[in-house]
Amino acid sequence: MTLLFRAAAVLAAVLVAGTAVPAGSTAAVSADLLNGHNWSQFAGARPTSSGVVITPLDRWITATEGARLQPNPPVNLAGPRLDVSGDFQVDATLSGVDGKAAYFQLYGKVPVIYDEWRQEPPSVRTGIVGGKLQIAVWDGKSDKAAETKTFGSGLSGDVSLSIRRSGGSVKVFVGGEQLGSVSERGVFGAGTVWFGADAAVGGGWTLRALTASGSAKVVDAPAWKQQPSSSSLRAKAAGLSRPIGIGTAVASGPLVSDDGYRAIAGREFTVLTPENDMKPQFVQPSRGVYAFAEADMLVDFARANDMAVHAHTLVWFEALPSWMRSASDKKTVMLDHIKTVAGHFKGRVAEWDVVNEPINEDNSDGLEHNLWHQAMGADYIPQAFRAARAADPNAVLYLNEYGAEQDGGRWDALYKLVKKLRADGVPIDGVGLQNHEYEKGDRTPPETFRKHVRALAALGLKVRISEMDVVSGGDTTMQAKEFAGKLAVCRDEPNCTTFGAWGFTDRYGSTADAGKYPVGPGDALPWDKSLTPKKAVTSLLAELR
């Protein structure tokens, strides 16, 4: 019987709030955080009868050109967390610790991924590194730890850690003996604790026991099903004579940690696109090492709310793990990735962006000469589509591109490409036109967009507005008009299946001024940073009547 289903855990599901941890001793009231709680959707973890096995992911956020920017260790988003109101203690038994580093981390908030940057939240990480106890503290003001200290020696095998928050400090005990202490630095000021664990490459260990005590209570992941509304975008779109999908990109961290974000996502939309969690650097961080936990969680949310999943993306030249860029056998890498990833989600996603952003109108062949093109030439595109069809015969397969909603070289190159793919019998079903409007010159007249939709219809292709956002610069009336104009075209053209935005709230939008603390919110999406609907929402609703 696995940890997830042991009935004994029910008896310890809730801590007694307000029970303080006496100085120098372990509180009598404690709760088991392993048994009866979800550790099966924690990336790099595998629940067993003897504990949760932690394997190294070596997962990083990478730059466009492939350089490693930031570590991206996993957090158990779908598992238990703590609500804390004062002093508390977490006791963990790390089993099988060898010469490789083993890390156990308490997060005060969950990380938020802004495309190619991870906003590092406040956290305390304890590690057994080179036989010593290492304590690192992030204060939510930088990507780097604000403080790192090392204590003790000779730690290996089974290590019993006690992490105690007490009077503004974090004290760490090993085998009942205090080895180190650091300033808390406000890590737990938000009143929550989330759990993370990782291991150095070549290592691995088992979380054999995990309990908590003190002024805290255990909280499991929220219910996925959200309250529907007859006045929502999705309800109005369903009432059209030809219903269309209303889509959005969704981020896994906020989906769990932000109740308002979760409610809007489930209430307003019928199509969910994972913003980051299906990109290669997330799902295959090391060769042959797959991490589907966060993406599976998004699929579960979508299914609970009767949403289709538009999966993004199988083949791109960005968001790649560094090993994928340096591999000498690019064709094998690409085809194996498609087979495994599309196969994993077979029957659970409706659509795939198979190839993302292959166009470069400045090259004579109209294609971006990315790493896949350099290895295989233009043939990488039909090979990718055929591999995706073989992996999931029922998924609708899209090519996704930016800037091609406008007249000009990008549109001409895209049209030429997809026309040839269709003529050659390549199993491409549709084209995603992103509709990013960052500057005035990005705005496309609706009739130009309609002309392109119809041209693709003549080739037998579906079209979806895949990633629309409109930087307003404070002009919310213009923003509302731009959103409404594209939706009206999609509503009217029979081959346009979905109107999709790249997120829905400025609180987590990809146009945020990221890379700094605090993040400067963008202003490109229909809901503002307070989750209040803007004029754009009103204009979209008006087009769905």
Side-chain angles (χ1 to χ4, degrees):
M1 186 176 295
T2 66
L3 289 166
L4 189 58
F5 298 108
R6 287 183 184 171
V10 177
L11 298 175
V14 180
L15 285 167
V16 177
T19 303
V21 179
S25 65
T26 302
V29 179
S30 64
D32 187 345
L33 292 164
L34 290 188
N35 296 307
H37 300 286
N38 187 0
W39 290 84
S40 64
Q41 288 182 297
F42 180 25
R46 179 172 54 86
T48 71
S49 59
S50 57
V52 178
V53 177
I54 306 298
T55 56
L57 292 181
D58 197 28
R59 191 165 70 176
W60 289 71
I61 303 295
T62 59
T64 301
E65 68 280 4
R68 290 182 164 193
L69 294 179
Q70 298 170 281
N72 186 27
V75 180
N76 190 7
L77 297 174
R81 64 172 171 84
L82 300 178
D83 282 355
V84 298
S85 57
D87 293 346
F88 66 92
Q89 180 168 306
V90 172
D91 296 289
T93 300
L94 284 59
S95 182
V97 176
D98 54 19
K100 301 291 185 178
Y103 297 107
F104 180 68
Q105 198 152 351
L106 308 183
Y107 289 87
K109 296 181 179 179
V110 300
V112 177
I113 307 295
Y114 292 91
D115 284 338
E116 294 173 354
W117 180 67
R118 166 172 158 145
Q119 184 188 25
E120 197 62 44
S123 70
V124 175
R125 187 184 71 186
T126 55
I128 309 302
V129 182
K132 299 180 180 181
L133 170 67
Q134 183 189 86
I135 310 174
V137 183
W138 283 260
D139 60 8
K141 299 178 182 178
S142 170
D143 294 350
K144 306 296 184 182
E147 180 179 15
T148 302
K149 291 185 176 181
T150 301
F151 308 92
S153 63
L155 303 179
S156 64
D158 289 357
V159 180
S160 296
L161 292 178
S162 295
I163 305 165
R164 184 180 301 171
R165 180 205 196 185
S166 178
S169 66
V170 176
K171 301 174 182 178
V172 181
F173 300 75
V174 177
E177 176 186 356
Q178 182 176 332
L179 285 193
S181 177
V182 295
S183 173
E184 182 199 330
R185 296 178 180 267
V187 167
F188 306 114
T192 56
V193 179
W194 306 76
F195 297 101
D198 205 0
V201 174
W205 53 280
T206 298
L207 181 61
R208 200 174 68 192
L210 182 64
T211 61
S213 55
S215 59
K217 65 177 181 178
V218 181
V219 180
D220 283 303
W224 286 146
K225 179 64 177 176
Q226 301 302 300
Q227 185 67 36
S229 169
S230 60
S231 60
S232 65
L233 293 172
R234 67 180 288 168
K236 298 302 181 184
L240 296 174
S241 58
R242 182 185 68 89
I244 61 172
I246 301 295
T248 185
V250 173
S252 56
L255 188 69
V256 174
S257 64
D258 189 326
D259 294 344
Y261 179 91
R262 184 170 60 255
I264 295 171
R267 181 185 72 225
E268 298 289 338
F269 302 99
T270 56
V271 180
L272 181 153
T273 297
E275 186 171 353
N276 286 294
D277 292 304
M278 290 187 184
K279 292 175 181 175
Q281 69 178 353
F282 290 85
V283 296
Q284 196 183 180
S286 302
R287 186 161 190 166
V289 176
Y290 292 90
F292 293 119
E294 294 90 351
D296 283 339
M297 190 184 75
L298 292 177
V299 172
D300 289 347
F301 176 83
R303 290 163 71 91
N305 290 283
D306 299 317
M307 303 169 76
V309 176
H310 179 90
H312 175 85
T313 175
L314 289 171
V315 180
W316 194 22
F317 56 88
E318 293 187 26
L320 300 178
S322 56
W323 74 265
M324 195 174 276
R325 287 187 174 276
S326 61
S328 59
D329 53 342
K330 292 291 194 305
K331 178 178 178 179
T332 299
V333 167
M334 185 189 80
L335 295 179
D336 284 351
H337 183 82
I338 294 171
K339 179 180 180 180
T340 302
V341 176
H344 175 83
F345 293 104
K346 179 181 178 180
R348 296 191 295 143
V349 306
E351 304 169 345
W352 269 106
D353 284 333
V354 177
V355 177
N356 196 48
E357 299 176 357
I359 299 300
N360 185 334
E361 69 275 28
D362 294 331
N363 290 327
S364 59
D365 61 358
L367 298 177
E368 185 73 51
H369 292 176
N370 55 46
L371 72 167
W372 310 114
H373 188 282
Q374 292 166 20
M376 292 169 270
D379 193 49
Y380 87 89
I381 298 174
Q383 286 193 54
F385 275 95
R386 292 187 175 107
R389 177 68 85 222
D392 189 350
N394 295 319
V396 181
L397 306 182
Y398 281 84
L399 184 149
N400 192 45
E401 189 54 79
Y402 73 90
E405 55 274 355
Q406 299 177 310
D407 281 337
R410 292 192 70 78
W411 163 250
D412 294 341
L414 173 69
Y415 183 80
K416 178 182 177 182
L417 171 62
V418 297
K419 183 178 181 179
K420 184 177 189 307
L421 293 175
R422 292 290 285 177
D424 291 346
V426 175
I428 177 174
D429 300 310
V431 173
L433 298 175
Q434 293 180 12
N435 279 271
H436 291 294
E437 299 187 10
Y438 299 146
E439 300 174 350
K440 185 176 181 179
D442 297 331
R443 300 173 198 164
T444 305
E447 290 311 307
T448 300
F449 180 66
R450 188 187 304 275
K451 178 178 65 175
H452 294 181
V453 173
R454 289 179 173 177
L456 294 169
L459 297 177
L461 291 168
K462 303 175 189 294
V463 173
R464 66 189 311 271
I465 298 170
S466 58
E467 302 183 13
M468 190 167 186
D469 48 12
V470 181
V471 174
S472 76
D475 187 350
T476 56
T477 300
M478 174 278 298
Q479 183 183 58
K481 180 181 178 182
E482 291 298 310
F483 274 112
K486 300 304 189 303
L487 175 58
V489 172
C490 191
R491 177 200 62 204
D492 294 343
E493 297 301 322
N495 65 317
C496 189
T497 64
T498 303
F499 174 87
W502 196 241
F504 58 87
T505 171
D506 294 335
R507 181 179 292 184
Y508 305 111
S510 65
T511 61
D513 186 6
K516 67 176 187 178
Y517 296 83
V519 175
D523 70 347
L525 295 169
W527 277 262
D528 69 16
K529 64 181 181 180
S530 300
L531 301 180
T532 302
K534 302 183 196 175
K535 293 178 181 178
V537 176
T538 302
S539 69
L540 291 170
L541 287 168
E543 296 297 337
L544 295 172
R545 291 174 182 158

